[in-house]
Amino acid sequence: MSVGKEPLINLPHVVEAVRLAFEDYERALLANELEVLDDYFWDTDHTVRYGVAENLYGARDIATYRRICTPVGPGRQLRNTVISTFDENYATVSTEFSDGETLRTGRQMQTWVRFPAGWKVVSAHVSVDLSTL
C-alpha cells in the first residue's frame, strides 16, 4: 500500500486466496499437523500470538507451544468468519468458534501477509468468553 492512496478492499481473487489459506490452516489445526501449522506462521521473532492463557513472541515460541498444548478437538466449529483484504498482500481473518463440547464461545483474529512463500500469519489473538465457563 502506498501512502496517500486508498487500498483496494476485498479484491475477489485475494479474498479467495486468503480463504483457501485460512481453511487449510483450520484443517491442519483439527488434524494437529504441526509442521503445516508452523509453516503458516511468519518465521521470525516478530510474530506474536496472544492465546487464552499464553502470550507467545516469535515463531519458535509458537511452534514450541503447539507441541505441549492440548490439540484442538474435532468438534470445533466456526461461525461469523470475516475476511478483509487490503490490496494484494494484506488481510485479516476474524472468526468465532466453539469446541463442540462446551457452551464456551471463542474468538480468533489473525493478520495475514502475502510473502513470496505464500500467505503467513504475522499476528494472532485467541480468546474465550469466560462468562460461559
Side-chain angles (χ1 to χ4, degrees), residues 31 35 82 84 94 123 126-127 131:
E35 291 78 21
V82 177
S84 300
S94 306
S123 66
V126 179
S127 61
S131 69

Side-chain angles (χ1 to χ4, degrees), residues 2 11 27 39 41 60 70 86 101 114 119-121 124:
S2 41
L11 293 167
R27 180 203 58 75
D39 192 51
F41 281 88
R60 192 170 315 139
T70 302
F86 309 89
E101 297 175 17
R114 186 167 65 101
W119 286 96
K120 305 291 181 183
V121 175

Side-chain angles (χ1 to χ4, degrees), residues 24-106:
D24 191 55
Y25 172 90
E26 281 291 319
R27 180 203 58 75
L29 185 65
L30 290 174
N32 201 35
E33 294 177 358
L34 300 176
E35 291 78 21
V36 174
L37 293 170
D38 293 345
D39 192 51
Y40 271 115
F41 281 88
W42 183 32
D43 189 13
T44 178
D45 291 340
H46 299 288
T47 304
V48 176
R49 181 186 178 278
Y50 294 139
V52 175
E54 69 286 338
N55 297 329
L56 305 170
Y57 299 94
R60 192 170 315 139
D61 284 353
I62 295 166
T64 299
Y65 170 76
R66 282 265 176 247
R67 283 150 180 80
I68 61 170
C69 72
T70 302
V72 170
R76 178 176 164 101
Q77 297 178 352
L78 304 182
R79 65 181 175 279
N80 299 324
T81 301
V82 177
I83 297 172
S84 300
T85 67
F86 309 89
D87 288 332
E88 301 273 340
N89 300 311
Y90 305 97
T92 60
V93 180
S94 306
T95 194
E96 295 176 58
F97 63 88
S98 60
D99 61 13
E101 297 175 17
T102 68
L103 297 176
R104 292 182 295 182
T105 297

